[in-house]
Amino acid sequence: MLRLKYKIWLDKDGKVFGEGPYRLLKGIEDTGSLNTSAKEMKMSYSQAYNLIKSIEKRLGFPLVHSQAGGYGGGGSQLTDGAKELMKKYLSFRQECEEAIQSLFEKYFAT
């Protein structure tokens, strides 16, 4: 039996945003920590940090505001731009999934 497989990402002079970056930002939103989000994805902090900085450079706007640790501890928060990007990407991805599934069934249903 055939199964449908695909990936959806946004591109701007190279892959800029897809499922991985979405999950990383969602983890930051949920935990308030880039480090914790990275660990949950089995990434190093430096990998996650560099990924965020690369995406920010390509998009032209910041995604994360970070505060260094110390007495009160550090943390990370998403910018309004990141929240809007995530919202649009999630809606776009869901609509794509529905359309692709419908087409798959149209052409390959048994």
Side-chain angles (χ1 to χ4, degrees), residues 9-79:
W9 67 84
L10 306 176
D11 191 281
K12 185 176 183 184
D13 299 323
K15 185 175 178 179
V16 70
F17 197 80
E19 186 63 25
Y22 175 86
R23 286 180 36 228
L24 182 62
L25 292 179
K26 183 68 175 139
I28 293 168
E29 183 177 53
D30 293 345
T31 67
S33 170
L34 175 59
N35 191 38
T36 301
S37 181
K39 284 180 182 177
E40 288 176 356
M41 293 182 65
K42 302 196 181 347
M43 293 176 75
S44 70
Y45 174 84
S46 63
Q47 278 180 301
Y49 178 85
N50 290 334
L51 177 60
I52 295 291
K53 291 303 170 191
S54 174
I55 294 169
E56 288 177 338
K57 183 176 181 181
R58 287 188 180 184
L59 291 176
F61 61 87
L63 299 172
V64 177
H65 291 299
S66 295
Q67 182 176 335
Y71 178 73
S76 297
Q77 295 180 17
L78 300 183
T79 64

